[in-house]
Amino acid sequence: QLQASGGGLVQAGGSLRLSCVTSARTFSIYGVGWFRQSPGKEREFVAAITWSGGRTYYADSVKGRFTLSRDNAKNTVYLQMNSLKPEDTAVYYCAAKAYTTVVHTTTREYDYWGQGTLVTVSS
């Protein structure tokens, strides 16, 4: 079970940090991805990190502005979002895939999903 949090309302240019926490005792072997969905649009890939944290991958739209990190001791993955833009407004979801050592960028590859957290960026 995954729990995403940290969303909120921020002005353009501001920052937010999202957290994805799981109670799974084997969290350290999960690859984690973040996706987002705006009204009327399909869920899109944002970023992913391997279980070791040694490999990350970002969508072009967020590269250079968003940064992933993870703390396996706390069963938590963080998505630091800087220089936010109005087009970043969406519900953000974290997802996990077990027993993988590579990053995954499509929704169908993930086994578990969190409930989503809303990020609103005002202009």
Side-chain angles (χ1 to χ4, degrees):
Q1 185 171 356
L2 301 174
Q3 181 80 21
S5 63
L9 173 63
V10 64
Q11 289 188 331
S15 299
L16 283 173
R17 188 178 77 161
L18 305 184
S19 299
C20 177
V21 183
T22 179
S23 58
R25 286 175 290 179
T26 55
F27 178 69
S28 61
I29 62 170
Y30 286 74
V32 174
W34 284 92
F35 293 77
R36 65 187 181 187
Q37 188 166 20
S38 304
K41 295 186 177 181
E42 292 187 356
R43 193 167 297 187
E44 66 174 357
F45 171 77
V46 175
I49 188 168
T50 54
W51 67 269
S52 68
R55 186 176 299 177
T56 56
Y57 187 78
Y58 300 91
D60 287 343
S61 58
V62 306
K63 199 173 296 182
R65 300 187 297 122
F66 291 10
T67 303
L68 275 170
S69 61
R70 68 186 297 160
D71 185 340
N72 287 340
K74 296 182 178 179
N75 287 357
T76 303
V77 168
Y78 303 100
L79 180 66
Q80 178 67 44
M81 306 187 298
N82 298 328
S83 301
L84 283 162
K85 305 175 181 180
E87 51 263 44
D88 294 318
T89 295
V91 176
Y92 284 70
Y93 299 88
C94 65
K97 180 173 179 60
Y99 301 106
T100 180
T101 58
V102 300
V103 293
H104 299 272
T105 63
T106 65
T107 56
R108 65 178 183 274
E109 295 177 280
Y110 284 88
D111 305 311
Y112 308 100
W113 289 84
Q115 84 291 358
T117 184
L118 177 62
V119 172
T120 303
V121 184
S122 63
S123 57

